[in-house]
Amino acid sequence: MTTGVPTLPRAISDALDLKIISQGAEAQVYFSAVHPFIPTSLIGSTVTSNTSADNSTGYILKYRPPKPYRHAVLDAQLTRHRTLSESRILYKLFLAGVRVPSFIAVDPRQGLIWMENINGSSLKQWIWDREAEIDALVNGDQEAAALKRLKILKPVLLSVGNEIARLHFLDIVHGDLTTSNLLLQPKKSSQEEFLDPVIIDFGLASQSGLSEDKAVDLYVLERAFLSTHPLHSEEYVGWLLDGYTTGFGRGKRTAVFKVKEIMNKLEAVRLRGRKRSMVG
């Protein structure tokens, strides 16, 4: 049973061995090695209850606790609406083949969403690790480092941009697109191992066909690269946007015009951001 988090419904916390892995202003995220409904014996899982969420499969429970500062009726309505909205978006994307955690169940009145746990590291951490490895290998040779980044990081960032394009092509805006909300899941094809980008945390996501909203999504991610990988952020964002533009709509005629419009809007959003920075 999880301790120290009294807001989690006891019917849930008593039944499953839950480990809290994230706590934000809006939601708490828990890991469980046990499926919420199907006995482990039927699944054939070998995951144990003390397995770390960082290196196993398993399941994620996202919980929106009551907000005592809000009126109880309004709080219940908001919790129900936001939980249902996130669940619908997650399920829609999963059915469309976008790489997101698979949806298991939702209890909107209690603010609970069950989903698959993704076995992989965040894009932020993965890039930090690769940069450290490259620096150790090249001994200060900047040209060699640039070639290594081109070989190792570029294919992954192209793939990430491609996946975000699939999200936007379905008119879903993430709302909090950062390098922490993009995971890289190891996969094997024949003898070769590669990384699949997976998009997580749709708590602020919404349906929108506006190019402006998609441009803001990309701008938020661009700023995340600038803050977490400042030395090479321009290079990384360039590769990611290359993947985005080539992956948007898979070259469909109407998609070509749409992605050009999004890129134009992105430039306008950047300009507004620079003006805010100058004004302070």
Side-chain angles (χ1 to χ4, degrees), residues 39-230:
T40 302
S41 57
L42 294 180
I43 298 175
S45 172
T46 57
V47 180
T48 58
S49 60
N50 60 1
T51 304
S52 167
D54 297 329
N55 57 10
S56 73
T57 55
Y59 310 95
I60 291 294
L61 170 63
K62 184 171 183 178
Y63 172 54
R64 285 182 168 87
K67 302 294 188 294
Y69 56 83
R70 285 199 298 236
H71 188 281
V73 175
L74 175 61
D75 183 59
Q77 290 175 342
L78 286 173
T79 296
R80 182 179 182 277
H81 171 75
R82 289 172 180 173
T83 304
L84 273 176
S85 176
E86 182 175 359
S87 301
R88 286 167 177 156
I89 286 172
L90 188 64
Y91 191 51
K92 175 182 177 177
L93 293 172
F94 179 74
L95 289 179
V98 180
R99 293 190 185 102
V100 297
S102 61
F103 173 81
I104 297 173
V106 61
D107 183 342
R109 280 185 286 188
Q110 294 199 80
L112 298 169
I113 304 176
W114 282 99
M115 66 192 85
E116 167 197 17
N117 178 58
I118 299 299
N119 177 21
S121 64
S122 68
L123 178 61
K124 176 173 70 175
Q125 188 61 53
W126 183 83
I127 292 177
W128 278 343
D129 291 343
R130 299 297 82 73
E131 286 177 336
E133 289 172 6
I134 290 170
D135 287 344
L137 281 172
V138 300
N139 277 327
D141 187 335
Q142 295 302 313
E143 187 175 343
L147 289 173
K148 286 285 185 184
R149 288 196 303 275
L150 190 70
K151 181 180 179 181
I152 299 170
L153 275 71
K154 183 178 180 179
V156 171
L157 289 168
L158 287 171
S159 181
V160 170
N162 195 279
E163 204 62 30
I164 296 169
R166 297 176 70 199
L167 174 80
H168 283 178
F169 186 69
L170 293 169
D171 285 341
I172 300 295
V173 173
H174 187 277
D176 188 24
L177 205 53
T178 68
T179 50
S180 296
N181 287 333
L182 293 161
L183 303 185
L184 296 175
Q185 186 175 39
K187 292 283 186 179
K188 276 196 173 181
S189 175
S190 301
Q191 301 300 315
E192 186 179 0
E193 186 173 54
F194 59 97
L195 298 167
D196 273 344
V198 181
I199 308 171
I200 65 167
D201 194 357
F202 289 87
L204 297 176
S206 60
Q207 186 95 25
S208 175
L210 297 176
S211 297
E212 172 95 4
D213 291 340
K214 294 165 188 175
V216 170
D217 237 10
L218 294 174
Y219 181 70
V220 169
L221 182 55
E222 188 175 276
R223 299 300 296 178
F225 271 101
L226 184 62
S227 64
T228 54
H229 312 287

